Amino acid sequence: MSVTTDIAAAPATPAVHADGHGHVTNTGLSNEKLAMWAFLGSECLLFGALISTYFLYRGKSVSGPTPKDIYDIPYTSVSSFVLLMSSLTMVLALAAIQRGDHRRLRVWLVATALLGASFIAGQVYEFTSFIREGLTIKTNLFGSSFFVLTGFHGVHVTLGIVMLLSLWNLSLRGKLPQEKSEVVEIAGLYWHFVDVVWIVIFTVIYLIPS
Amino acid sequence: MTTVLEPTITAPVPSGDTGLLRRPTHPKGVWSWITTVDHKRIGILYGCTAFFFFLVGGFEALLIRVQLAKPNGTVLSAEVYNQVFTMHGTTMIFLVVMPMSAAFFNYLVPLQIGARDVAFPRLNAFSYWLFLFGGIFLYSSFLLGGAPDGGWFGYAPNTSITFSPGHNIDFWVFGLQLLGIASTAGAVNLIVTMLNMRAPGMTLMRMPVFTWMTLVSSFLILFAMPIITVALFLLMFDRNFGSNFFNPAAGGDPVLWQHLFWLFGHPEVYILILPSMGMVSEILPVFARKPLFGYPVIVFSGIAIGFMGWGVWVHHMFSVGLGPVAVSAFSVSTMFIAVPTGVKIFNWVATIWRGSLRFTTPMLFALGFIGMFTIGGLSGVTHSVSPHDRQQTDTYYVVAHFHYVLFGGALFGIMGGIYYWWPKVFGYLLNERLGKINFWTWLIGFNMTFAPMHILGLRGMPRRIYTYDDSLGLAALNMLATVGSFVIAFSTLVFIYNVWFSTKKQRIPAGDDPWDARTLEWATSSPPPDYNFPETPVAHGVDAFWHQKYTEDDEGRLIRIDGSAPGASPADLLIRGRSSAALAERDGDDTPGNGNGSGDRSAGDDHGSAGDGHGHGAVPTAHELGIHMPSPSYYPVLAAFSLPIISYGMLYGRSSGSHYAVAVFGAVTLFASLYAWGMEPSAEPEDPEEHHSTSGHDDVPVLVGGGQAALEAGNGSATGNGAPDPAGEGASASAGAADTSEVVPPAVATDAGTPSTADAGTPSTADAGTPSTADDMATPATDEAPTPAADEGGEAEAAPPAGDEDTGPSGSSTDDKGA
Amino acid sequence: MSSRAAEQTEHLEQASDHDAHAGHPTEAQYIKIAVILATITAVEVGLYYTSFSTVATNATLIVLAGVKFVIVAAYFMHLKFDNKILRRLFITGFVLASFCYIAYLLTLGVFQ
């Protein structure tokens, strides 16, 4: 049996060193994990550009509605809380696979995906109610920058849900053994990052009054 | 270490299980190129495509020059002129210089760091195909209603629906978006490759300067691309969905576009120039026969440029009216960034100072680079003086400046790189005489074209005008520039003729190391086999390959370790390749597998029929050596193909909502191909039947992607030093390991004490008769180290544990073993 | 260049990094962290409804968001325990983003 130190095939190296501290690579990190972090570093610039655009246009709309008119802070606080808690279920999923508890892994993966889905459902509801109240992407600068920023975030969450469900599916088919726990960790990194972005958005966009 | 060997890792997965399509297995022909994941083939694809776009962009430049040759030109209408200059700029930046650099990154980086491939071979293929399709997408605009016409910077609000209702700008928006995705994916891939997959001993501060500049430039791509992505998305929302980001009527600020664009655009300038700086830093020491002067300083200057490049973008916006504070601050930072650049120039000059120079074509281009880039850099410094800049903004002075940097800099470097690495890539040399004609016409044509533009600009000729009046007195210099542009065109034809001539008429086999070079890519054959190195090389210092070839005698004179004459004359080298006679004498008898001098021992390699008929069949394949390489795949090209479909859907969705269905279709195919991609293993498991029939091979570490096992072994023996080391065990599984490690050390020892791996003259693999892999090699190598050749003062001590001693992270391996 | 010394320090730090790795949070700790995050969120929302000076409130809100950010990155994303190079990568992206975007907002007079 060959020893595959196949860093090119996605999950192989994590399997070799489930804790990511092998010495197969120069850094001791798997290529996938390093790549994910590089990508997340890049994403900082992406969301930064969107958030700064929102900031630039705060209070510059020439017509209403304004944030004060339509934000529903209690509602958004609840959905923010939901997303925050999905990060907890995500780490619990990782902890489960790391100790080989595949049933729990699947439970927490589905829980995370469901929490994410509730967040998205909440966002869809928020968007439609804003539109009903007369704020669309075309209405004013607030509408443009709000919908594009939160929409971008929503797309990221949706992709994260797809990833989580794919992992759940893999695990069901028995293709996600304990040695490949790093796959869950990497998906988790993405998920937490999306959560972290929302922490910033929630404060900067919703809570700080304009 | 003991928990390492989980059978699940390599459990053979039946191919049919993995997805939509059967795994491609084309060894040759068009499909082998379409499905390839080999970094070398992808590099060649990048190079050829980028060269094609260079011809297209050059043709556009000629159109511009013909139009401007005389006052009141009538060759192009104003409308077409706008499209032509926009596409010229966009093409040259995104479809020529960036992918041309990517060609060198792809081809050279794994070779220079001693890896077998990049970290994610399929992602690499995806990047290339997306670049190609993105380019085709952009150019399809000419057939579909008109090309982009807003300049390569696409300033708002000119690009809004109000002022540009056609699809021209849409093509630019989506085309650049596609190219951005391709570049970002490529950058992530290369960063991971360089940080994670270096050969044993190849610490960061031993990496060749070209690799270093690739690293810096990849980081710039990684962090700059998302900014333009957002800017393009905002513009797309404005155009497709009626948002107001750049709409002044609704309070939108067009300066936002300028900020986002130049926040990307200035780092982009360094993305374009740093790779060429890296190439020049490789070429100069080889042809000056001196080490690069101040290697660490050059590296740190490159890093400094990378960082400072983020703090100067406002100098593109001095005339916007951002106020005295902003302008002064960015004025100062712009002056400062000239410092690391200047440091590099002085380092290059010091490198050639008192060297024994060989004025080969690559050297001429490198020297041309220094001269022309310095002129461009100096005129750049004049821009940092904001009152001066105010005068120059939007004049031909700026055009002159950035052509001196991008043509005189980036393209001179790239041409030098092409001449320098051509023999490595294709196995034969380009004709020197034609090369020199190429260089001199290139240099003269370039200066004739762009030097007059300084004066034209200072006399007030604005950029982007499609015609001018005779009374302005600009006619003579414009005519001179136009004549110059045709000299460049002639020079390009000379280059093409040279390629044809050297391929078909007078093919001079290059041998492995025609220039007597210093870096590891020259240690393997030309062209390299698909697995790059039969054994993973070990680096003992900067210029790793040089120290495998040379040592010093008692009086400090340079002597070749293999005993041949040091520094054969350029003529010699050019005609005979790397002293092939000597090589033939030395190892021609018993090692049919190593047809070194004559060029070709590439296994499974058929690019451009580069192999000249020598040694085919005798070359060990990856399989024979027990090296497990990544398998080709359909999914990268499929995924890349889905993205332009989405783009066309989005683009035409603006005129009719039903077209968004096309985008949805594209998204579905994208998702399907990505999913199948994810389920497909990077490397198809070897057929177990066959495996057992070739005895011993199944115990050999599988080295997909880049000599990981070698690294492990290297590290292991470094710390365990001679003692039965746990890492070695881990790397090579079971019984077979013991066998090979007993067989190989003597074989290596015959190489005159060189621990060097694939030194051109080292027949270690084939004649050892073992399917030796890197760990066999690495073990004796580190045991014997420090070798005299590798010593560079204190460096020698650092050599053995080098794999561990990296900039930090890899140190963890030592801890593991301690535990 | 005192690279030797630097490498040695790196080594030592590396070792301590590695030891820290052993102290990956347990599930109970993860839950505690989540409780802390939830509490901070509650405080944030509460602050929103207070009528203190907006400058102080805004500053506090930003600090609290920063704390949540760091907690999630350090514990849930394991940056505190993981290889230094990952921290550097992410911090580079974050600092670069902050620097560039704040600088351009400044030139446009947003914070005045």
Side-chain angles (χ1 to χ4, degrees), chain B residues 234-326:
Chain B
L234 299 185
L235 183 56
M236 184 205 78
F237 278 107
D238 269 14
R239 291 180 62 86
N240 272 38
F241 304 110
S243 60
N244 302 303
F245 291 106
F246 308 116
N247 174 12
D253 191 350
V255 179
L256 171 64
W257 173 269
Q258 293 197 22
H259 267 302
L260 292 179
F261 187 82
W262 290 117
L263 261 170
F264 148 79
H266 202 81
E268 171 73 14
V269 171
Y270 297 107
I271 292 167
L272 299 171
I273 194 67
L274 284 172
S276 281
M277 289 181 165
M279 291 181 211
V280 167
S281 307
E282 298 291 319
I283 294 169
L284 290 174
V286 168
F287 296 109
R289 298 187 61 78
K290 276 177 65 189
L292 187 65
F293 183 86
Y295 166 89
V297 180
I298 288 217
V299 168
F300 285 124
S301 304
I303 298 171
I305 290 173
F307 274 103
M308 293 169 79
W310 290 92
V312 296
W313 81 91
V314 170
H315 69 221
H316 295 271
M317 303 164 63
F318 279 163
S319 59
V320 168
L322 296 172
V325 178

Side-chain angles (χ1 to χ4, degrees), chain A residues 56-127:
Chain A
L56 175 67
Y57 287 153
R58 259 159 57 104
K60 299 249 177 77
S61 298
V62 292
S63 61
T66 65
K68 279 252 151 91
D69 300 333
I70 56 170
Y71 276 166
D72 184 351
I73 296 297
Y75 179 83
T76 314
S77 304
V78 171
S79 64
S80 302
F81 178 77
V82 165
L83 192 63
L84 198 60
M85 286 307 109
S86 76
S87 265
L88 173 64
T89 53
M90 187 71 235
V91 283
L92 293 179
L94 177 61
I97 191 174
Q98 280 175 343
R99 60 167 194 271
D101 186 344
H102 294 282
R103 202 182 60 79
R104 284 271 172 80
L105 163 72
R106 287 195 287 274
V107 168
W108 291 126
L109 280 178
V110 170
T112 313
L114 281 179
L115 287 171
S118 331
F119 174 83
I120 290 296
Q123 195 175 39
V124 170
Y125 176 78
E126 187 190 36
F127 277 21

Side-chain angles (χ1 to χ4, degrees), chain B residues 442-628:
Chain B
W442 190 264
L443 184 75
I444 292 166
F446 165 73
N447 280 295
M448 268 173 81
T449 311
F450 297 106
M453 290 185 188
H454 289 110
I455 301 163
L456 283 171
L458 292 175
R459 285 202 194 158
M461 180 169 169
R463 286 172 78 174
R464 304 171 204 129
I465 50 157
Y466 81 109
T467 183
Y468 54 94
D469 196 76
D470 202 8
S471 62
L472 293 170
L474 305 170
L477 288 175
N478 267 303
M479 179 51 91
L480 181 60
T482 301
V483 172
S485 68
F486 279 91
V487 177
I488 300 175
F490 170 76
S491 181
T492 310
L493 291 178
V494 171
F495 172 74
I496 294 169
Y497 176 72
N498 191 354
V499 170
W500 176 83
F501 181 82
S502 310
T503 311
K504 300 284 176 199
K505 287 285 161 195
Q506 195 200 68
R507 202 183 176 90
I508 307 167
D512 298 351
D513 180 23
W515 312 118
D516 200 9
R518 315 178 75 88
T519 41
L520 281 179
E521 71 270 29
W522 303 99
T524 186
S525 57
S526 307
D530 55 355
Y531 47 82
N532 289 354
F533 301 97
E535 298 124 6
T536 299
V538 179
H540 294 288
V542 181
D543 294 335
F545 182 46
W546 180 263
H547 294 298
Q548 291 174 12
K549 295 186 292 186
Y550 287 99
T551 186
E552 284 178 5
D553 64 12
D554 297 335
E555 286 138 55
R557 279 183 308 233
L558 211 55
I559 48 166
R560 274 196 90 98
I561 288 170
D562 66 13
S564 63
S569 78
D572 254 18
L573 291 165
L574 288 175
I575 294 160
R576 290 189 294 131
R578 183 182 167 279
S579 50
S580 49
L583 275 169
E585 196 181 319
R586 199 157 49 86
D587 59 28
D589 46 358
D590 58 347
T591 57
N594 283 345
N596 281 327
S598 48
D600 183 15
R601 63 172 176 194
S602 57
D605 175 271
D606 63 340
H607 44 62
S609 69
D612 38 355
H614 297 277
H616 255 310
V619 179
T621 64
H623 182 75
E624 283 162 13
L625 291 174
I627 300 166
H628 196 169

Side-chain angles (χ1 to χ4, degrees), chain A residues 1-10 12 15-17 21-32 34-36 38-39 41-43 45-47 49-50 52-53 56-57 60-62 137-141 144-145 148 152 162 166 169-170 173 175 177 179-180, chain B residues 1 4-6 8-10 17 119-121 184 188 192 195-198 222-223 226-227 229-230 233-234 237 241-245 249-253 256 260 671 675 679 682-683 691 698 702 704-705 708-709 711-712 715 730-731 733 806 809-810 812-813 816-817:
Chain A
M1 190 49 58
S2 321
V3 186
T4 302
T5 49
D6 172 2
I7 41 76
V16 177
H17 300 282
H21 264 271
H23 29 76
V24 185
T25 58
N26 300 89
T27 59
L29 294 162
S30 76
N31 289 346
E32 287 74 20
L34 195 55
M36 178 52 90
F39 173 69
S42 170
E43 289 271 279
L45 277 289
L46 185 105
F47 279 105
L50 291 165
S52 66
T53 303
L56 175 67
Y57 287 153
K60 299 249 177 77
S61 298
V62 292
I137 193 171
K138 298 180 183 181
T139 313
N140 55 18
L141 286 177
S144 300
S145 49
V148 171
F152 251 86
V162 172
S166 309
N169 181 34
L170 276 183
R173 292 191 293 155
K175 290 191 172 174
E179 307 84 53
K180 290 190 183 179
Chain B
M1 279 312 303
V4 171
L5 305 170
E6 293 295 334
T8 41
I9 306 165
T10 47
D17 186 43
F120 305 101
T184 310
V188 170
V192 174
L195 292 181
N196 248 0
M197 298 174 60
R198 283 165 281 125
L222 181 75
F223 292 128
I227 309 177
T229 302
V230 168
F233 264 117
L234 299 185
F237 278 107
F241 304 110
S243 60
N244 302 303
F245 291 106
D253 191 350
L256 171 64
L260 292 179
F671 184 77
Y675 198 81
M679 293 299 105
S682 176
H691 230 80
D698 45 348
V702 174
V704 178
Q708 304 314 319
L711 240 171
E712 187 159 333
N715 289 349
D806 212 325
S810 64
S812 57
S813 55
D816 272 12
K817 258 162 273 154

Side-chain angles (χ1 to χ4, degrees), chain C residues 41-111:
Chain C
T41 311
V43 173
E44 284 179 334
V45 179
L47 268 177
Y48 174 80
Y49 286 106
T50 60
S51 48
F52 298 140
S53 88
T54 46
V55 176
T57 316
N58 289 355
T60 319
L61 282 172
I62 288 172
V63 169
L64 289 177
V67 171
K68 280 163 74 180
F69 188 112
V70 171
I71 290 177
V72 174
Y75 292 94
F76 286 177
M77 298 169 94
H78 306 129
L79 269 194
K80 187 171 192 292
F81 316 102
D82 225 325
N83 197 311
K84 270 204 294 202
I85 201 164
L86 301 181
R87 228 171 306 161
R88 286 182 191 156
L89 261 178
F90 190 60
I91 289 174
T92 307
F94 186 80
V95 169
L96 216 50
S98 313
F99 166 77
C100 291
Y101 297 131
I102 289 174
Y104 100 70
L105 290 177
L106 277 174
T107 67
L108 295 176
V110 169
F111 301 112

